[in-house]
Amino acid sequence: MTEEAEEGVDLSPASGCEQQAPHFLQDVIFHGKFKLLKALTPEESTHCQHGLYFEDGQRRVDYVLTYPLKKQAGGRSCRQSTHLLTENAFARSLRRGPHHISEHLRHYTVKRAKDSLSPPSLPRDDTELGCPGETFGGHEDHKTFRREEFEGKLREMGLELEKDEDARIQGVGFVKIHAPWNVLCREAELMKLKMPTKKVYEMKQSSGVVGKISSLVSKALEPLHPHVEERQPKNIKRLSHTFSREKQHLFDLSDKDYFFDSKTRSSIVYEILKRTKCKAKYSMGITSLLGSGVYTAAYPLHDGDINEESAEPNDRKLLYEEWANYSVFYKYQPIGLVRKYFGEKIGLYFAWLGLYTQMLIPASLVGVIVFLYGCATVDDNIPSMEICHPRNNITMCPLCDRVCSYWKLSTACGTARASHLFDNPATVFFSIFMALWAAMFMEHWKRRQMRLNYEWDLTGFEDEEEALKDHPRAEYEFRVMQKSLSKDHKSQHKIEKLSCRDRLPAYMTNIVMMLLMIGVTFAIVFGVILYRISTKAALHMSSNPITRNHVQLTVKTTAAIINLVVILILDEVYGAVARWLTVLEVPKTDKSFEERLIFKTFILKFVNAFSPIIYIAFFRGRLVGRPGNYLYVFESYRMEECTHGGCLMELCIQLSITMLGKQLIQNNLFEIGIPKLKKLIRYVQSKQGAFQEEERQKKLRRYETDHFLEPFAGLTPEYMEMIIQFGFVTLFVASFPLAPLFALLNNIIEIRLDAKKFVTELRRPVAARAKDIGIWYNILRGVAKVAVIINAFVISFTSDFIPRMVYQYMYSPDGSMHGFVNHTLSYFNVSHFQEGKETMDPLQLGYPIEICRYKDYREPPWSANPYEISKEFWAVLAVRLAFVIVFQNVVMLMSDIVDWLIPDIPKDISLQIHKEKTLFVDLFMKEEQGKVQILESRLSTGGKENCSRSSSNNNNSTMAHPRSGLHTNSTKSL
């Protein structure tokens, strides 16, 4: 019995759309029958092998353009697509021989004769214009004219086109594009593509002890490698050379159909599409045509199906089984296959993500060890033992005005013990370790990147990369067109471009909006501060003793959750605002657009994610004042202060909730849930009439199936979430040593999640060549440098590490930590409270209080300068500043030493590059010598033949002597 029968699904055409859709939603949402969604959606449940080629089954579809198509009520187009294939049919007849040419010409002549008998006054049928005789608006006529002109230009460029206006998707027409062999060779030479030659050589392996160790390690890690078949051994590499039609004999052209793979073919066609312009009145390329709605989409095709067991083997199915699968989470990624299918740019992203995840393993282990050290030494920590001692009789001043009363320091025992888990001497070591870890990660990535450049033949790619930056975007061309229209009567032949004056309003809008968004973030942080202050006062007024005893934990946790929710919401808002501001600027090229978008998005999201954390780490508890002279906000809200355990515990709570929440909700649930929700919405829309039942039963072809997938939106969101995570791991790691562990667990899922999204949920991206990760590397280096400074300030100002060291070595009578808690507490006379600010319940402890304590370095009330800052404060401050300077310079110096010791290019790679150059020189020298020998042999053979012919014709013609003599002399001169 099939799954559909088991689930009770009615797939018969008789079932109506109106009746089936509600039952489907009910089954999916309330009964959990998610198999229905997979079985009935018209996307991956169909065979698509017929859509990979033209109708002749020989020419492969390299690219697809879609355009809006108006249909009749019956669901059929007014004009069939057969007559649009006339040029392609004639081209096929040319290849088949003279008999087919004559048949095609005879058929075409009869058709033209029939057309000539029709009345000339009748309007011509046009699919885009609806039914015969129906006229459309001038806007649609303009789109049709632009489309036909653009397709004509593509044919002039040598591309072969085939239209399908009778597809199974209503309202969508498809233009299938095929690049023949001569076009591929021409464009590969223009794009300077490096292709493998016939020459192969063996890469030198390490010898001696290092070689044996590496071979043992590779054998031990063999189960972790994906089962991807490679055509040649790992130690064998083909020489690659820039493709040239004059040197085709250097390349292995035995199988021309697979010499250029599908990724290369689609990138070549895309390059032609970007370069081809409509020259009717104003220059317009494919980007402008997409932006104006002449075409609705442009995409290359996936290689084939992935879910069907009977599907033919292809790279996409192999990636789905060995990469985009959660069951292989413990294996390495098949980066070579990813690059082969998606291109170098996406391959570099997943290679970087894989290396970053691997480097998190040692950082996670050290972080866990530091945390376990804190757990093991918490019972031996003298300051927390003094706070938790039952005989401790220190009375603390109220934490808020009026409603709060005096309290015993021993009630903060739990907070003090928990703070020691993250505030211990091992934290300093871990901060230094993570700074060096970041430096080693950057150096390791540079070496890995260089190795990939060598393996992927990307060395010397700078010139090619510069040549690909000049293609204007659609929005830029439209703005230039508008500017040209406004000045058309003044200068018709002048080439217009957007100046700074044209962009000045956009620049001003960008500055104002960026400042406004940052101000909104600060305002929300301030609002959460007011929430904590007011909630703390309200909970202290509660009659429930349990509520009063857990005020601090309740306020901290709820405030952190509120911050998380606000961060998640503002992240989406700021992403949309950053894109809108970048669009306003109208950058000329895609690279410029991407860099400006990355800069704005990073600034806004970084401020959004880290503003609450920075406030807790560096500002909370330092703008409080003292008893009797507190600092107030709006004259009624007293600024909050840290508990006796310090603000480091609250910083850890805020950091952990924000990091875990962003990773769990934003990075995982959103990426899993939103595509599923979109798939459900597309199915419901198809049930409402976009697909009739009999149409749904038909098998969609590959280009129709890919039309339902989500378009590729770039790698910016993927990099951005990893950069923010890198900030959580490095910036405040002194307060949360478990951050690398949670990042590692998240990234193990993230790699497979992104892989599944690229393979199954997105249209195939156009392969883009890149030799590095671009601006993201500079951002990573900047974050790593800032992390050193921030961790230095966290250790010196947020934690109690420096006060403990100062007390132990300067003020302790016996050199131990005994008496440290009493040393950090100042005295206050309760009679000095301001009027109206004293507590309403002074006898809550059962006896009257005359002196209370508060955490600060101030003179006692009986001194000559009561409540003034004491000399201990200045001593601690001086040591804190000195620690920041020393820590920063030492760690950065160590990072620079690591950078200097580790070479950017591995030694074996530099040797292999030099060997390749030598082999190329030898190859071309042999080629030239062979050409000279062939030329000499041909000339000598030709000279002998001419001499024999001249001697044999000596008696027959008197004119032969000068000609033969001239020819012989010319041969000798050659």
Side-chain angles (χ1 to χ4, degrees), residues 90 94 175 206 248 297 321 346 362 443 477 485 635 717 723 756 964:
F90 183 71
L94 285 175
V175 179
S206 301
Q248 290 192 21
E321 294 172 351
I346 295 177
E443 293 302 314
E477 289 185 341
L485 287 173
E635 298 182 358
I723 294 297
K756 194 176 185 67
S964 61

Side-chain angles (χ1 to χ4, degrees), residues 55-56 133 277 314 346 386 427 433 446 490 557 589 593 616 650 685 710 714 836 844 929 941:
E55 293 295 333
D56 56 7
K277 304 290 183 180
N314 56 76
I346 295 177
E386 290 182 350
T427 304
F433 170 81
K446 284 195 292 187
K490 297 181 181 179
T557 307
T589 61
F593 181 89
I616 295 173
E650 185 169 352
Q685 291 176 348
E710 290 294 315
Q844 183 178 358
Q929 291 176 1
T941 305

Side-chain angles (χ1 to χ4, degrees), residues 292-328:
S292 60
V294 176
Y295 292 103
T296 56
Y299 53 89
L301 297 182
H302 281 291
D303 275 359
D305 206 353
I306 55 175
N307 291 330
E308 294 293 334
E309 296 181 358
S310 60
E312 297 181 359
N314 56 76
D315 289 341
R316 187 190 184 198
K317 187 175 182 181
L318 187 60
L319 283 172
Y320 180 75
E321 294 172 351
E322 296 295 332
W323 183 50
N325 199 331
Y326 294 110
S327 61
V328 294

